[in-house]
Amino acid sequence: MDASKPIIALDFQEIDQLNEFLNQFSEPLNVKIGMELYYTTGTQMVEALQNRGHDIFLDLKLHDIPNTVKWAMKTLAKQGVAMLNVHAMGGQAMMEAARQGIEKGTGEGAKRPVLLAVTQLTSTSPEQLKNEQLVEATMAESVNHLAKLTQQAQLDGVVCSPLEAKAIKEKFGEDFLTVTPGIRLTKGQDDQKRTATPYEAALNGCDYIVVGRPITQAKDPVAAYQAIKAEWQKGLAENALF
């Protein structure tokens, strides 16, 4: 998956809407299939997107007992997607099982999908962390703890907010990937609480950015995509100078 291009979150419920959106683009894309789309279309959509030349982040956030996650991940790895993920809240043993499953499911000679763990969702606020999850740690402490478990389980990196990527890089190393949703060209009023612009994300050391509604709900999705990609690449170039 080309890290110089944003990953577009294909949060569509209707296949006609999805095809109408994709038909506007003439280049291979990085795309994310989440639960909405995968539970509607399953492996058929994965194959269709691969046939169009797109690289896929299959974002299902597996969270179950280790054995279940292991065999589910083995099945998912056979689909040849570029990225898969679990939820770090499932614990280190579950994440280790996921890694074992993905290794079993990757065909001989094939490239193993990148395996990530979600730390705290970008929709989670510090108030929710304290009052609903009953976590006394700060958001940063919670994210860093989950990232530590992820690295101990030998996963490739984490899904985190762009605000936390810099600290994760400093603590866990440049090779530990940070994939960041919550990207906005301007700070808007929606369910994403911990957001940044593509430029800010690049300067914070994010390896990949995931962008949904700012592209998929734009009046001109291609123009929005190109604007976000240009700002992201500008930030990457500047970050490389330091």
Side-chain angles (χ1 to χ4, degrees):
M1 183 174 282
D2 184 353
S4 70
K5 299 190 295 186
I7 301 172
I8 304 176
L10 300 178
D11 297 326
F12 294 94
Q13 295 180 343
E14 301 294 333
I15 302 305
D16 289 344
Q17 290 179 324
L18 172 60
N19 287 329
E20 182 180 349
F21 172 80
L22 290 174
N23 288 339
Q24 298 174 74
F25 293 84
S26 58
E27 63 179 285
L29 303 170
N30 295 334
V31 297
K32 181 176 78 71
I33 299 178
M35 286 181 279
E36 273 183 285
L37 190 57
Y38 192 78
Y39 291 162
T40 302
T41 64
T43 59
Q44 291 180 337
M45 180 52 59
V46 172
E47 293 172 1
L49 291 170
Q50 288 170 332
N51 288 338
R52 286 175 176 252
H54 304 316
D55 286 326
I56 299 169
F57 171 17
L58 186 53
D59 174 28
L60 300 182
K61 302 181 183 71
L62 301 189
H63 185 172
D64 211 311
I65 63 172
N67 193 59
T68 296
V69 170
K70 177 180 179 179
W71 296 113
M73 193 60 72
K74 178 183 177 182
T75 300
L76 294 174
K78 293 179 180 179
Q79 297 181 33
V81 298
M83 287 182 178
L84 290 162
N85 66 358
V86 298
H87 207 302
M89 296 290 279
Q92 185 172 335
M94 187 207 74
M95 290 190 279
E96 290 171 350
R99 176 174 48 79
Q100 294 166 6
I102 205 172
E103 289 170 353
K104 286 180 178 292
T106 302
E108 185 176 350
K111 185 177 181 181
R112 178 177 72 76
V114 169
L115 180 56
L116 307 165
V118 176
T119 54
Q120 290 287 348
L121 299 175
T122 51
S123 61
T124 302
S125 68
E127 292 75 23
Q128 288 175 302
L129 188 71
K130 181 178 180 179
N131 299 327
E132 296 180 16
Q133 297 184 23
L134 298 181
V135 173
E136 292 299 324
T138 66
M139 182 66 71
E141 289 169 342
S142 176
V143 169
N144 282 338
H145 175 66
L146 293 170
K148 180 180 179 180
L149 294 180
T150 301
Q151 189 174 62
Q152 289 175 175
Q154 299 180 38
L155 271 62
D156 299 305
V158 292
V159 179
C160 62
S161 93
L163 305 183
E164 294 132 11
K166 184 176 181 179
I168 287 173
K169 286 290 188 181
E170 291 173 350
K171 193 171 184 65
F172 302 105
E174 287 298 316
D175 292 337
F176 193 65
L177 297 177
T178 54
V179 179
T180 57
I183 302 298
R184 299 288 184 265
L185 278 172
T186 57
K187 302 296 176 65
Q189 298 294 318
D190 57 33
D191 58 351
Q192 300 280 31
K193 306 298 183 185
R194 305 189 327 276
T195 66
T197 67
Y199 180 77
E200 291 169 339
L203 294 186
N204 280 345
C206 301
D207 293 293
Y208 295 88
I209 55 172
V210 179
V211 189
R213 286 167 284 184
I215 296 174
T216 58
Q217 295 184 13
K219 291 182 179 179
D220 186 340
V222 175
Y225 170 76
Q226 295 297 342
I228 288 169
K229 182 170 72 170
E231 186 173 329
W232 168 240
Q233 292 179 347
K234 177 185 177 183
L236 290 176
E238 290 191 19
N239 193 48
L241 297 176
F242 296 100

